[in-house]
Amino acid sequence: MIRPEDLLHPTPFGLYCPPMDAYIDPVRSVERAIVTHGHSDHARAGHLSVLATPETLAAMAIRYGEGFTRVRQPAAYGESVSVGETRLTLLPAGHVLGSAQVLVEHKGLRMICTGDYKRRPDPTCVPFEPVACHILISEATFALPVFRHPDPEVEIRRLLTSLAGFPERTHLVGAYAFGKAQRVIRLLRLAGYDEPIIVHGALEGLNELYERFDVTLGPLERVPDARLKRSEASSRPGRIVIAPPSAMRTRWADRFADPLLAFASGWMTIRQRARAAGVELALAISDHADWLELTQTVSEINPEELWITHGRDDALARWAELEGRRARPLRLIGYEEEHGE
Amino acid sequence: MQTFAELLDRLILTPSRQARVRILRAYLAATPDPDRGWALAAIAGGLKLPGLRPGLIRTLASTRLDPVLFSLSYDYVGDLAETVSLLWPARPGANRTPSLSEVVAGLQSAAPDERAQRLEIWLDSLSVSGRYALLKLSSGRLRIGASKRLALQAAAELGTHPIEEIEEIWHGLSPPYEDLFAWLEDRGQRPGEATPAGFRPVMLAHAAAPEFEPGRRLADTIDPEIYAAEWKWDGVRIQLVRERDVQRLYTRTGEDVTDAFPELMDEIGLTGRMDGELLIRGPDGEPAPFAEVQKRLGRRTISVREAARRPAFIRSYDLLDSDGQDLRLLPFRERRERLERLVPTLRPDRIDLSPLVGFSGAGELEALRRQPPQPAIEGLMLKRWDSPYMAGRPAGQWFKWKRDPCLIDAVMMYAQRGHGRRSGAFSDFTFGVWTSTPEGDRLTPVGKTYFGFTDEELVRLDRHVRETTVDRFGPVHSLATGPHQGLVLEVAFDAVQRSTRHRSGLAMRFPRIHRIRWDKPAGEADRLETLAAMIP
Ligand SMILES: [Zn+2]
Ligand SMILES: [Zn+2]
């Protein structure tokens, strides 16, 4: 059998697959890229060709414009693509719409790179599909035992309780524009909230993308125009506004009446982090696997060896050691720890 | 316990003081006795529980989790109570959750060897925020950013009595304060009586730089007819009071530190209240470096023998009342005269007088500020001769004019992730300067800092660390350095001293990043000799 390092290994550009001459989520421009999902640190513009799910290709076109790559190679979940003797299959990762794990098979060796993933149910994307393999390359964003994300439904109920308790305050919810924002909207709908939700302009294209792939978001409204007089713009208190976190601390937020800042992110599990972000309502809703999801997934797939990419590789490697598993931190660079959260 | 936990969570995250008062008031109004009283005591710092040692909590956690995983988690979160509350693996079928009163009674009555067991049972039954509240409570320190004053303000708003009326009787009350609530809610008599030797809020100074008074340059303003000048001592601001045979020592925030300084509780002859600087006397009779004061302040109690080895004394600079007479509305000139008459009648080894600094003009003062005669001097204080003693930081009365910091150029050598609010980024940096060795010039670490950069700089520093890491020792990243490689940090610090505990033989006081020299080659950073020459 081929050595695993000869099928996939870390390089400064990202994970490289020599038999295919392709990189997974390359951080610089390359000829052949395989992209796991549309978050900006994984999906960059300027590769010659990009192989990804149709959803991810559509998300990249919205982010970077139609010319983000020369050649688009769509591959649906579960559909195998042959490249020489190598077979490649994208599998659902449950992270955001279109997110995929990459299964590479060559000369009897099966390797899976999870990309970013989670195991909790998410009404905006296809759930993670565990598949057997020899080498599992797992992300480790929240790989510390302190990260045990609560049920998202519980967190959404806290948002609605706060809205009922402070009806005079606009609830300004910071959520990453791709994935988290739409998930929060869907969760609100599933919790029975039917009012129009006000969204920041940066979300509009991505919201349409979700609608196009049959994720219904219900009535949405544009943010009131900045040029409206303050009294008019803030005449609708007690509403939910969803905006990317970067917009919350800018003048943009001034137009709302006495806003109550909330933030939907896995990092909100930690009080000090919530405090540092200046958030009054910390919603621990994560699109990444928490400690239990990570460790249970490794146990369930039960690979011969675990490789760990970005995040807290030290803790996950220690866990593997205690479990008697072979593990190896890859220390890939270039992926932001806070991405997509 | 769950409502108390939710209260803490909300207080922690609510930024505005007014909103925090409102939240606490609502809690006190809705929660029955005695729970609300214990909560008030916990927040106002009046709850005395046999504190659980952090070691005990760690040991307890290690029965449930691998110690390495525990350390990695603790290192990330930065707070023991929060770490344990998050990673405690709940046991299915745990007991019913305890009330706040039950927890307080349980901690008070448990024998030392029973405490861990009780804690474990409670931890199993509580949610994450409940566990956090429990651990904060049982470690004896809440530290949730809610002061005693905020707590009393919330209590005052239950009724119509102003906060000052509560402050006067507060020291004589004890939790769970059922008598206090009865009075506030018009159901009972005013409890207790005014406590002797209570704390009075202190007067604070503005920084003098760069414009001394709006629109006027410093040099034009300092007129010896208008301002008195004193040295600014590098100790701890305190208030010493003796009333009706009760003597107490407070920090400037009103924290009672009487027990930490028994030597100052001897008969020293004072009847009144003075404001001054707490200092430690060094072997030469002069004030010792600040580190010595800090060591003493960090301990709640101390034996008389230890106190005698490093005796504390007070360098007094103001008199708030004397023999029952309130002097605070008198001008500083008159208070100073009374102080000068009083101090010679007190025990000289315990209390002395902070001398006035004579000067004829701003130029002379500027020179003194730059080159103070003693290392324990941080700069100058300027006080208007006609200033009354006012609580808080009134405009245009007192100014602090600090000595310029020392500066060196050092090279970043190691980096570690920050704790708590900065835990996502590399923000703890060890830096070094060049020194000659038989193998040529090498960097030797001289200090560590996590202050002095903006959030944008932090992002850039973080990237620098990721890109230049060459090795890792646990959480510590070792960075690539050499004459042409490495990042130069211009480090500001207050002083440098000899130290046997540091590899370089030197210890810096309060180093912080002054500027990041992205432009400067590492080979041009300073040498150890330069730093050593800055020892006073
Ligand atoms: Zn990622
Ligand atoms: Zn992602």
Side-chain angles (χ1 to χ4, degrees), chain A residues 37 39 41-42 95 115-116 139 141 288 310 335-336 339:
Chain A
H37 66 289
H39 279 148
D41 51 329
H42 293 256
H95 175 54
D116 292 346
E139 66 133 320
T141 305
H288 288 268
H310 54 303
Y335 301 97
E336 322 252 330
H339 58 150

Side-chain angles (χ1 to χ4, degrees), chain A residues 114-191:
Chain A
T114 63
D116 292 346
Y117 78 96
K118 71 171 175 292
R119 305 298 304 270
R120 304 289 171 107
D122 178 342
T124 67
C125 63
V126 184
F128 180 95
E129 189 183 327
V131 169
C133 59
H134 300 104
I135 312 282
L136 180 70
I137 308 174
S138 175
E139 66 133 320
T141 305
F142 287 113
L144 276 177
V146 287
F147 290 110
R148 283 182 291 162
H149 304 314
D151 280 339
E153 289 78 14
V154 171
E155 299 298 279
I156 285 295
R157 227 175 297 134
R158 289 178 50 231
L159 172 60
L160 292 173
T161 306
S162 174
L163 192 67
F166 296 91
E168 75 286 4
R169 300 182 71 185
T170 303
H171 281 54
L172 188 50
V173 183
Y176 201 72
F178 177 31
K180 189 65 60 66
Q182 295 76 20
R183 186 172 174 212
V184 167
I185 294 170
R186 273 303 290 156
L187 284 167
L188 282 166
R189 298 306 182 208
L190 291 173

